[in-house]
Amino acid sequence: MSFAGPLRRSLIPRTSRTIASRYPCPKRRCFATATSATSEAPREPEGTKEVPMTVGDGGAGTIRPVRQRHGSDRLVFPGAVNSKFTNRLVFRQQDPSKAIDTYRVMDTEGQIIDETHGIDFDNMKEQTLKMYSSMVTVSIMDQIMYDSQRQGRISFYIVNAGEEGIAVGSAAALGEHDTIYAQYREAGVLMYRGYTLDEFMAQCFSNCKDHGKGRNMPIHYSSKKLNFHPISSTLATQLPHASGAGYALKMERTPACAVTYFGEGAASEGDFHAALNIAATRGCPTLFVCRNNGYAISTPTLEQYKGDGIASRGVGYGIDTIRVDGNDTWAVYKVTKEARELAISQQKPVLIEAMSYRVSHHSTSDDSFAYRARVEVEDWKRRDNPITRLRKFMELRNWWDQEKDTQLRQQLRKDVLKAFNNAEREKKPAISKLWEDTYDKPTKDQQSQMQEMKDILERYGEEYDLEGYEGGKNGVVPKR
Amino acid sequence: MRRKAVSSILSQVPRVQTASSRPLAPILAITPASRRYSSHPPNAKLNQQVQFNTSTYLSHTTSTSLANPELPSSIRTSGNTSKLNLYQAINSALSTALSTDERAILFGEDVAFGGVFRCSSNLLDRFGPDRVFNTPLNELGIIGFGIGYASHSHANTAIAEIQFGDYVFPAFDQIVNEAAKYRYRGASEFNCGGLTIRMPVMGVGHGALYHSQSPEAFFAHVPGLKVVVPRGPVQAKGLLLQSIRERNPVIFMEPKILYRAAVEEVPVDDFTLPLEKAEVLAKGSDITVISYGTPLYTVELAAKAAKEMLGVSVEVIDLRTVYPWDKETVFESVKKTGRCIIVHEAPRGGGLGGEIAACIQESCFLNLEAPVGRVTGWDVHMGLIFEQFNVPDVVRVFDTIKKTMDY
């Protein structure tokens, strides 16, 4: 075998790591290949081993014997290595007056609160306009698509109102090789990364240009090109995927991280626990971005958890955690940038809790006024909004004015409607796509089932709506 | 049949994480022949002990092992085999997979010290802690992590271990809704085909409710997955290597009672065996018996008894891949014999036997001389002290052969 023995890693975080600049990395040194440097490590004599300490080192900790000093104020329990004894019986409690702080860069008027934010705004005019434009595009697309669902032109939609800043602010801080595993209310991430309006529309209309070949419900986007994994409806399942993808990046020595988005409701799923714990123990460069918008459909957060939000949990997993104002796009940007830096340089996960308010209904299948007062929503809309805040920020710098805004919105509306109309006219994918991609190759059973369907369509074609599908009834091709 | 004392294995492993490297003497001890909860009845004529060392379904010599036509010619002419039991063969396959694929990782609960069934022995030392590692005790996390690793790149290979098939259910959502559907919903732009999920399954004599289950039927209802059950060491190595290299998620179920009991001459070098192909283990003309995993050896004894006592010639088929299964081989056999029974340890209701019987009925209707029989676990859970009454034993297989022949 040309594969040498174990790679020894010290507990000291690697500072000068050999990383190739491109993915996939041609010189992955993390995968053990035969090098003279990795020879057999000397074997420890039996009986001197203790449980490996794996402090954010992904389980490759050093193993050293522990000696207990007489009269010590603590025992080294393997399960809690640095816990002192106490003779005061006190149950630990959360102090409700000391919730974790919410990080902010600018106030609701777009004013920078403190100049120590470390963002080079002067050189970011272009990027700021791109961020603003992405957010506005999402909100305009949302309005049009919401109405189109109401007219029965698409089957379903979910808007992003009030949370555009979280998606766009974080996306602006990421690199192109950072892999995204999203929930469903993060259209701004795709918009900022360059997903085209045609791509959004193709997906919602399930036409032949849809990356998902018309199989998924609307808003379940995916993009290989943009490193954005296909969205699934199952809540929180993507969290452990992001841990595993982070580990893959670590093994490749790719200087990038995996990023996953989820709501505060999804954080109640077991997958949240599984994902954060394994990311911490394996030292995965993964960013967990929680959108805490106050509601999971009709369930308010006071029925979702009793602790201090989601952020308070991160610390319990040994994960660096921060809470941020989700309506402050700059705060989200800054926090994501720092978190990314931390995750990649120290090879460990970071948890970000972005606070916001779900201004919209949960989806087109939900009337949120059945469980919350209209006045509460209106109040929120008036009080704070990520798009308005960023616009005020730009106006204060004379980067933006009412005229530019009106122009931009008119143009975007035209663009969205054009893409909308084009997408609506496209054919649906061929019926064969119902079977394809279940496996890498169709099974024999699938072949014969396609043949069965073909036969049915031959004999009962008029009973089916075949018109809109590529190839019509001839679109079933049982190919070997 | 599973009362063979020496063949009995550990199984009652406490589910605690251990990082010690002590030999597992107290846990892995061979139980004495006198154990009462699964002893061999002295006057039994049919329910004999399985003699793995003489079973014709295993290759006991180098020449029989290398005569297997499915092996590549380079392996068949090499002359290199070594005597391995099932866990050693799995170990050999894992070792081969890790050394031939630098992007392969192996992980799960307690795999680092060699695994509670010793399948990953010495792999940590050879491939390092980055590629062979323990995970927290969380099945959905193990599978979710594996999906993420595999979905990151088409070239990534994730070999996940679930400590017992009985504990796969917390990961059911990840397997059914994510692993199985990843390629489909990502329209092949994304997939997690590099994922293989290994798990010990089936009875072990004293595993009771949560160390005995055969959950294959749950997964054989999910398009996008493949489910594989080997019968012995050679099969285990070849099928596992193929499962790992396949770019489809595969659930690989290892019959745990065979870990130590089944011993074969296994080719030393790298080879694979085909998935979705059944194997005819014994030619016969009167009745076809279809099975997979542990019960095949019961079937072997029952077929022998049927030959001696009834003069019935039994054709035995090992499905190997239970989903998607090899219909052509099965139908061809049933069309020839006109009679058929299916044997599996899992409960009858909703078991694979029902699916196989229905397909045979559809495709071999005019050839059938009798109803398709099913010899399975009862529709109960594996009560500890009652295992001998719940697994399909030689008596029940023999009796069903007899009834089917007399129909």
Side-chain angles (χ1 to χ4, degrees):
Chain A
M1 289 304 114
S2 63
F3 290 82
L7 288 148
R8 313 306 284 180
R9 287 207 178 166
S10 72
L11 280 173
I12 302 154
R14 195 180 302 272
T15 45
S16 59
R17 296 164 61 238
T18 325
I19 29 188
S21 56
R22 290 213 51 216
Y23 165 79
C25 176
K27 286 192 179 167
R28 286 181 312 269
R29 290 182 43 219
C30 209
F31 293 111
T33 46
T35 59
S36 53
T38 53
S39 57
E40 274 301 311
R43 295 195 73 85
E44 302 252 350
E46 280 302 314
T48 60
K49 290 190 177 185
E50 57 144 313
V51 178
M53 307 295 183
T54 56
V55 190
D57 187 49
T62 47
I63 299 174
R64 51 204 156 75
V66 167
R67 287 182 185 75
Q68 185 66 37
R69 268 200 223 93
H70 185 69
S72 167
D73 63 353
R74 72 200 72 189
L75 264 182
V76 182
F77 292 108
V81 293
N82 210 11
S83 170
K84 278 188 189 172
F85 292 121
T86 176
N87 50 7
R88 286 182 60 235
L89 194 159
V90 181
F91 289 98
R92 280 290 166 105
Q93 276 185 326
Q94 176 179 285
D95 182 348
S97 69
K98 287 196 182 141
I100 293 171
D101 298 338
T102 303
Y103 176 75
R104 250 190 184 189
V105 169
M106 63 178 172
D107 66 15
T108 48
E109 299 308 308
Q111 295 272 9
I112 299 301
I113 299 159
D114 175 359
E115 289 300 337
T116 60
H117 50 72
I119 308 172
D120 182 14
F121 290 125
D122 296 342
N123 289 316
M124 284 188 69
K125 186 176 173 182
E126 282 305 301
Q127 195 174 354
T128 310
L129 293 177
K130 185 184 170 186
M131 286 159 77
Y132 181 71
S133 168
S134 300
M135 284 157 73
V136 176
T137 314
V138 168
S139 75
I140 287 171
M141 180 177 78
D142 279 354
Q143 288 158 19
I144 290 169
M145 297 312 274
Y146 186 87
D147 292 342
S148 81
Q149 192 280 336
R150 284 291 177 257
Q151 295 167 13
R153 293 162 84 173
I154 58 169
S155 58
F156 179 77
Y157 198 72
I158 280 183
V159 305
N160 301 269
E163 294 175 69
E164 300 93 339
I166 299 174
V168 170
S170 59
L174 298 175
E176 60 174 329
H177 296 304
D178 295 337
T179 313
I180 313 280
Y181 291 81
Q183 181 167 300
Y184 51 60
R185 213 184 293 277
E186 295 91 7
V189 175
L190 281 167
M191 196 66 83
Y192 186 85
R193 284 196 156 208
Y195 207 58
T196 65
L197 288 171
D198 289 333
E199 285 173 304
F200 279 109
M201 297 299 153
Q203 202 288 323
C204 290
F205 279 104
S206 306
N207 70 26
C208 58
K209 294 189 171 163
D210 168 29
H211 291 289
K213 298 187 186 170
R215 293 165 182 152
N216 305 287
M217 280 175 84
I219 65 100
H220 290 57
Y221 308 112
S222 94
S223 172
K224 186 73 186 168
K225 194 174 104 213
L226 303 178
N227 231 333
F228 188 100
H229 280 252
I231 288 170
S232 74
S233 306
T234 41
L235 282 182
T237 47
Q238 74 279 11
L239 272 67
H241 302 176
S243 305
Y247 193 72
L249 290 163
K250 176 196 187 104
M251 292 289 280
E252 288 171 350
R253 293 265 201 270
T254 303
C257 61
V259 188
T260 183
Y261 295 85
F262 56 100
E264 90 286 345
S268 294
E269 294 281 4
D271 307 62
F272 169 88
H273 164 66
L276 270 74
N277 200 30
I278 200 166
T281 55
R282 297 306 308 166
C284 305
T286 303
L287 303 189
F288 294 95
V289 184
C290 177
R291 294 177 293 94
N292 190 334
N293 63 15
Y295 288 94
I297 304 187
S298 71
T299 306
T301 50
L302 61 97
E303 289 170 6
Q304 198 66 249
Y305 52 72
K306 277 293 278 180
D308 178 17
I310 308 305
S312 66
R313 301 177 195 173
V315 184
Y317 291 107
I319 293 179
D320 295 18
T321 303
I322 192 160
R323 176 175 283 162
V324 61
D325 180 350
N327 289 346
D328 176 351
T329 309
W330 287 124
V332 175
Y333 168 85
K334 181 64 186 170
V335 159
T336 310
K337 212 165 175 58
E338 292 290 327
R340 180 181 186 270
E341 197 54 46
L342 192 63
I344 295 170
S345 65
Q346 297 191 25
Q347 295 288 285
K348 63 183 187 185
V350 181
L351 172 63
I352 299 168
E353 182 181 26
M355 311 309 289
S356 71
Y357 183 85
R358 199 193 75 215
V359 175
S360 63
H361 301 308
H362 166 73
S363 72
T364 48
S365 310
D366 171 49
D367 172 11
S368 65
F369 300 134
Y371 50 80
R372 61 180 182 181
R374 194 178 287 265
V375 62
E376 178 190 333
V377 180
E378 292 307 319
D379 197 40
W380 253 103
K381 279 186 186 168
R382 262 200 313 279
R383 202 186 318 173
D384 193 17
N385 172 297
I387 297 176
T388 315
R389 246 206 250 190
L390 193 62
R391 195 186 71 223
K392 286 176 175 169
F393 167 88
M394 292 197 299
E395 285 168 352
L396 287 171
R397 284 180 153 60
N398 292 324
W399 292 354
W400 204 248
D401 55 41
Q402 186 56 53
E403 195 186 337
K404 284 194 175 110
D405 206 61
T406 310
Q407 237 173 3
L408 175 76
R409 285 171 182 274
Q410 278 173 348
Q411 186 55 50
L412 288 174
R413 206 178 156 74
K414 272 188 205 142
D415 295 347
V416 172
L417 285 169
K418 188 170 159 224
F420 179 96
N421 288 318
N422 289 343
E424 199 170 27
R425 280 197 294 268
E426 287 283 358
K427 289 261 188 199
K428 306 298 178 212
I431 302 169
S432 283
K433 303 282 189 283
L434 170 60
W435 284 269
E436 286 165 18
D437 304 320
T438 317
Y439 296 92
D440 57 351
K441 293 188 283 287
T443 62
K444 288 174 183 168
D445 280 347
Q446 290 183 316
Q447 298 286 353
S448 61
Q449 287 171 19
M450 284 160 101
Q451 195 57 54
E452 264 184 74
M453 188 76 225
K454 195 174 170 61
D455 173 58
I456 288 283
L457 294 180
E458 287 297 338
R459 293 184 299 121
Y460 296 93
E462 69 283 357
E463 304 284 342
Y464 293 87
D465 176 13
L466 297 166
E467 195 49 42
Y469 293 84
E470 280 190 318
K473 69 178 178 191
N474 300 320
V476 194
V477 188
K479 57 172 180 246
R480 280 274 164 204
Chain B
M1 63 144 285
R2 68 212 67 244
R3 301 172 252 327
K4 178 97 190 290
V6 180
S7 75
S8 150
I9 40 170
L10 44 142
S11 151
Q12 303 296 57
V13 179
R15 298 188 78 237
V16 293
Q17 285 214 289
T18 162
S20 82
S21 55
R22 286 178 300 107
L24 280 190
I27 301 175
L28 301 188
I30 306 285
T31 36
S34 61
R35 72 160 198 246
R36 289 217 199 110
Y37 44 79
S38 186
S39 59
H40 180 68
N43 299 327
K45 292 188 191 63
L46 289 165
N47 275 343
Q48 296 293 320
Q49 285 184 8
V50 172
Q51 299 296 333
F52 287 100
N53 56 351
T54 57
S55 167
T56 58
Y57 301 167
L58 296 167
S59 301
H60 302 292
T61 65
T62 298
S63 59
T64 51
S65 178
L66 297 178
N68 179 354
E70 284 184 339
L71 292 173
S73 57
S74 60
I75 296 283
R76 298 175 65 188
T77 52
S78 72
N80 282 339
T81 66
S82 66
K83 221 177 197 33
L84 301 179
N85 63 23
L86 184 75
Y87 85 66
Q88 291 162 331
I90 300 278
N91 183 261
S92 168
L94 293 173
S95 157
T96 306
L98 288 163
S99 48
T100 53
D101 175 359
E102 61 170 15
R103 299 181 74 117
I105 57 171
L106 173 71
F107 54 96
E109 293 157 19
D110 307 304
V111 301
F113 88 117
V116 297
F117 286 109
R118 317 308 303 138
C119 292
S120 50
S121 293
N122 305 318
L123 299 179
L124 169 65
D125 288 343
R126 290 189 48 206
F127 301 101
D130 288 331
R131 298 184 60 202
V132 179
F133 54 87
N134 292 336
T135 63
L137 210 159
N138 185 308
E139 286 76 15
L140 94 78
I142 292 168
I143 303 305
F145 180 91
I147 293 169
Y149 183 84
S151 73
H152 177 72
S153 157
H154 182 73
N156 278 6
T157 301
I159 310 164
E161 177 181 299
I162 298 292
Q163 200 159 74
F164 284 87
D166 312 62
Y167 307 132
V168 73
F169 301 107
F172 202 65
D173 183 37
Q174 282 287 347
I175 296 172
V176 171
N177 279 327
E178 294 293 331
K181 296 175 173 64
Y182 218 102
R183 181 188 293 276
Y184 187 79
R185 79 164 184 260
S188 283
E189 281 191 345
F190 293 94
N191 70 80
C192 65
L195 174 68
T196 305
I197 304 168
R198 298 174 41 242
M199 64 188 76
V201 296
M202 302 192 185
V204 68
H206 49 271
L209 283 69
Y210 307 112
H211 296 84
S212 308
Q213 292 177 59
S214 305
E216 65 274 3
F218 289 105
F219 300 108
H221 191 56
V222 189
L225 299 176
K226 293 188 182 181
V227 186
V228 179
V229 188
R231 70 173 178 275
V234 172
Q235 295 295 317
K237 182 174 175 180
L239 294 171
L240 180 53
L241 273 170
Q242 181 56 35
S243 300
I244 289 168
R245 290 166 183 173
E246 274 273 316
R247 293 295 105 167
N248 291 297
V250 179
I251 297 187
F252 192 83
M253 299 185 165
E254 300 159 9
K256 69 179 87 70
I257 201 165
L258 306 178
Y259 273 140
R260 284 157 193 266
V263 178
E264 266 186 303
E265 288 291 342
V266 182
V268 171
D269 301 319
D270 185 342
F271 70 95
T272 60
L273 293 170
L275 300 194
E276 296 175 73
K277 271 207 70 60
E279 187 180 4
V280 180
L281 297 184
K283 285 281 182 197
S285 53
D286 298 329
I287 184 167
T288 304
V289 181
I290 301 155
S291 189
Y292 50 90
T294 310
L296 279 164
Y297 301 98
T298 308
V299 169
E300 184 180 28
L301 288 178
K304 192 162 155 264
K307 185 84 192 157
E308 286 166 8
M309 297 160 78
L310 312 171
V312 170
S313 160
V314 180
E315 180 142 311
V316 181
I317 296 181
D318 177 6
L319 278 187
R320 301 197 289 183
T321 301
V322 300
Y323 184 77
W325 52 284
D326 178 359
K327 292 182 173 176
E328 283 169 15
T329 302
V330 168
F331 296 164
E332 191 188 337
S333 172
V334 176
K335 281 172 180 165
K336 179 181 72 179
T337 60
R339 292 180 169 83
C340 164
I341 68 172
I342 302 139
V343 186
H344 59 64
E345 273 191 25
R348 187 168 304 170
L352 283 181
E355 170 67 13
I356 296 166
C359 293
I360 288 170
Q361 187 271 138
E362 280 172 356
S363 298
C364 313
F365 186 66
L366 295 175
N367 307 86
L368 284 174
E369 305 286 347
V372 177
R374 286 184 286 166
V375 190
T376 66
W378 306 117
D379 290 344
V380 294
H381 309 295
M382 191 73 91
L384 176 73
I385 210 67
F386 308 109
E387 180 164 330
Q388 64 165 319
F389 306 106
N390 190 31
V391 293
D393 59 356
V394 185
V395 167
R396 284 170 52 201
V397 178
F398 173 85
D399 187 57
T400 308
I401 292 173
K402 187 170 181 298
K403 280 182 179 156
T404 307
M405 293 309 300
D406 293 347
Y407 188 80

